[in-house]
Amino acid sequence: MINESELLGQINGGLLINGEWRAASDGSTLKVHDPATGEVLKEVASASVEDGLAAIEAADQAFPAWSMTSPRSRAEILRRAFDLVIERRDQFALLMTIEMGKPLSEAQGEVTYGAEFLRWFSEEAVRVSGRYGSNPEGTGRMIVSKHPVGPAFLITPWNFPLAMATRKIAPAIAAGCTVVIKPAALTPLTTLYLAQVLEEAGLPAGVVNVINTSHSVDVSAAIIDHPALRKLSFTGSTAVGQQLMRQAANGVLRTSMELGGNAPFVVFEDADLDAAVEGALQAKFRNIGQACTAANRFIVARPLVGEFTERVTARVKEMHVGRGTEEGVTIGPLIDHRAVEKTLALVADATARGAELKIGGVAIPGPGSFLEPTVLTDIAPGSDILREEIFGPVLAVVPFDTEDEAVHLANATEYGLVSYVFTQDLARAQRLVETMQTGMMGLNTGLVSNAAAPFGGWKMSGLGREGGPEGIEEYLQTKYTLTANPFAS
Ligand code: NAD
């Protein structure tokens, strides 16, 4: 077992700007807490606007040389970084568990998932291609080529500290872009550790710059307004994403937005109930319910509601709440006390409107921010829990009678990130692929994320895709060159 304080001692708590680890220009720091104990894990530098500007300028200066490196050399750096992250799997996992709260086994899973973006984009780096063709008149030949878009600003949330960083950094540097990354102030340690690994893998100074800050709004605004910036990639809430898109309009920046979700999980009467229960537990309670892909509304065929609810409730009863480092813990703390209060308010609204509380529904006294995993049934239409992203371990069941009603309920949200559908009827499944309004769909599975997939949403869940061959396109721009055909008359 790795010693926590030794591991924390290995993390450089500075800002990484132009290959140098620095304190903030005004000496500010921010404290990173363990959500399971409330204790301070480490104090790290908190960037000022001046530091943010230094970071984008470093990315700008590094861009011309980096964009001219060979795809193979960029691929090899990414591949070395993948090997190093896997070598340090236990360190990355422990770090995520203590700064974010997820159980250690889930943190190990995130290391596999997060590292895979480094390997995947090391493979994609050498596969960027364009096309060649004739214009219809035959007077010229067209060359269509792809070029890195330029310096990029990456803003990540706290819920998947490694995967959200690698899902943006890896395609950006594979494409030949340089970046400034701003991790969430609640969980900067994993990104700092990743930056150390990237340096070790041979990444030149200025290609990846890291700025932790407790002044997200001002520092981000200054970077977004900087004329050198060409790309903004954000993962977080829809409200913040909308604000950033407005700011990005000034510089007509390319944007990728991975925003909030309100995933429906639909269980039809013909579903394999064992598979649906397993899928439900995975889609709901992974990451303590704090995933944009978390199932938010369990839309269940009326004849199955009783058995489905009983079975998930029995499984929830067996869950162990505690600090993610402890043996057997399956539910860690929520990220902070505010998150507990917000989740409890959704439960209170639902029960006030007539929902039945099957289990849970209470906070566990501190110091950590723990909430008992919860199951609610018979959610009344109009309840807040159907409209808002829960972002906590609360499974809410709504009955339906017909397929049309199920689809209508599932699509009755401004979000469109992912949907889960459990059915054994092929014709029905084919209809649902056409009718569900989401960028991703899990058919008889409660987990869709993987590095080869184009992750992203429809409607207010976002713009652009991360992962897959699509992921690198977000960091490329197209140039078309017409060469005159010397033989055209
Ligand atoms: P958030 O929007 O509060 O914060 C996300 C990041 O933006 C953080 O780094 C934060 O410091 C920064 N930020 C906040 N306000 C800002 C501003 N005005 N200007 C610049 N930066 C600002 O979200 P969160 O609470 O950290 O994360 C949870 C949200 O993220 C949920 O809505 C979840 O669905 C979403 N999420 C989406 C995906 C996806 O891929 N679609 C993945 C993970 C999380």
Side-chain angles (χ1 to χ4, degrees), residues 297-301 305 376-379 386 396-400 409:
R297 298 165 293 147
F298 288 78
I299 301 167
V300 180
V305 166
L376 289 167
T377 57
D378 297 323
I379 309 289
L386 299 180
V397 179
V398 186
F400 74 85
L409 286 170

Side-chain angles (χ1 to χ4, degrees), residues 156 158 167 182 216 220 234-237 258-260 292 389 455:
T156 54
W158 48 265
R167 211 163 78 170
K182 192 200 78 58
S216 277
S220 301
F234 171 75
T235 297
S237 57
E258 297 286 351
L259 308 178
C292 52
E389 196 176 14
F455 189 105

Side-chain angles (χ1 to χ4, degrees), residues 153-160 164 167-168 182-186 213-221 224 234-241 243-244 247 257-262 290-293 335 338 389 391 415 417 440 455-457 461-462 466:
F153 183 32
L154 317 176
I155 305 179
T156 54
W158 48 265
N159 58 347
F160 291 98
M164 297 302 100
R167 211 163 78 170
K168 293 186 192 302
K182 192 200 78 58
L186 292 164
T213 183
S214 48
H215 312 290
S216 277
V217 178
D218 295 344
V219 173
S220 301
I224 295 168
F234 171 75
T235 297
S237 57
T238 297
V240 173
Q243 197 177 320
L244 293 172
Q247 292 174 18
M257 294 280 148
E258 297 286 351
L259 308 178
N262 180 355
Q290 303 168 116
C292 52
T293 51
I335 190 67
R338 220 169 39 127
E389 196 176 14
F391 240 58
Y415 295 109
L417 190 61
M440 301 180 285
F455 189 105
S461 288
E466 289 187 330

Side-chain angles (χ1 to χ4, degrees), residues 78-94:
L78 282 169
R79 175 63 211 216
R80 277 199 292 281
F82 165 79
D83 290 336
L84 287 168
V85 172
I86 293 300
E87 227 169 74
R88 288 179 210 164
R89 168 190 295 281
D90 292 340
Q91 288 86 336
F92 272 103
L94 180 61

Side-chain angles (χ1 to χ4, degrees), residues 16-40:
L16 178 61
I17 300 175
N18 202 18
E20 275 173 30
W21 290 91
R22 320 181 180 172
S25 60
D26 59 5
S28 296
T29 57
L30 67 89
K31 293 188 173 100
V32 183
H33 294 90
D34 179 340
T37 62
E39 281 168 18
V40 175

Side-chain angles (χ1 to χ4, degrees), residues 75-377:
E76 280 171 356
I77 291 171
L78 282 169
R79 175 63 211 216
R80 277 199 292 281
F82 165 79
D83 290 336
L84 287 168
V85 172
I86 293 300
E87 227 169 74
R88 288 179 210 164
R89 168 190 295 281
D90 292 340
Q91 288 86 336
F92 272 103
L94 180 61
L95 200 53
M96 282 194 275
T97 292
I98 62 180
E99 74 169 336
M100 182 271 163
K102 68 184 72 194
L104 207 48
S105 59
E106 289 190 20
Q108 298 268 5
E110 184 176 343
V111 178
T112 305
Y113 173 56
E116 189 56 39
F117 288 101
L118 298 167
R119 180 159 63 175
W120 175 266
F121 286 108
S122 80
E123 293 157 351
E124 290 300 294
V126 292
R127 310 260 181 270
V128 172
S129 63
R131 63 193 165 88
Y132 182 74
S134 170
N135 64 351
E137 300 77 20
T139 53
R141 297 288 186 197
M142 304 187 302
I143 301 165
V144 179
S145 51
K146 297 287 170 102
H147 305 260
V149 71
F153 183 32
L154 317 176
I155 305 179
T156 54
W158 48 265
N159 58 347
F160 291 98
L162 179 65
M164 297 302 100
T166 54
R167 211 163 78 170
K168 293 186 192 302
I169 292 175
I173 63 183
C177 293
T178 54
V179 311
V180 176
I181 180 163
K182 192 200 78 58
L186 292 164
T187 59
L189 303 180
T190 306
T191 305
L192 291 167
Y193 195 39
L194 175 67
Q196 288 172 235
V197 161
L198 288 166
E199 281 190 310
E200 241 181 90
L203 199 68
V207 176
V208 169
N209 303 276
V210 185
I211 49 158
N212 334 299
T213 183
S214 48
H215 312 290
S216 277
V217 178
D218 295 344
V219 173
S220 301
I223 294 173
I224 295 168
D225 278 345
H226 195 287
L229 189 73
R230 292 311 325 141
K231 164 87 194 180
L232 171 64
S233 176
F234 171 75
T235 297
S237 57
T238 297
V240 173
Q242 287 171 310
Q243 197 177 320
L244 293 172
M245 283 175 78
R246 283 186 209 107
Q247 292 174 18
N250 288 336
V252 194
L253 300 181
R254 286 274 297 276
T255 58
S256 301
M257 294 280 148
E258 297 286 351
L259 308 178
N262 180 355
F265 187 107
V266 189
V267 184
F268 285 94
E269 206 177 339
D270 54 44
D272 171 341
L273 199 55
D274 291 340
V277 168
E278 283 311 316
L281 294 165
Q282 201 172 28
K284 180 71 254 182
F285 294 103
R286 190 175 67 102
N287 224 38
I288 319 135
Q290 303 168 116
C292 52
T293 51
N296 218 54
R297 298 165 293 147
F298 288 78
I299 301 167
V300 180
R302 198 176 297 276
L304 286 185
V305 166
E307 196 182 346
F308 176 82
T309 312
E310 257 170 49
R311 287 173 65 173
V312 292
T313 304
R315 295 286 295 276
V316 167
K317 228 178 242 166
E318 291 166 4
M319 291 178 175
H320 290 291
V321 181
R323 189 173 191 240
T325 48
E326 289 159 19
E327 188 74 28
V329 163
T330 47
I331 298 282
L334 291 192
I335 190 67
D336 55 21
H337 290 286
R338 220 169 39 127
V340 174
E341 277 157 32
K342 194 189 144 242
T343 312
L344 284 176
L346 292 175
V347 173
D349 173 78
T351 51
R353 292 172 194 256
E356 188 188 342
L357 181 66
K358 289 292 199 187
I359 191 168
V362 287
I364 298 171
S369 36
F370 292 100
L371 177 68
E372 282 187 8
T374 301
V375 177
L376 289 167
T377 57

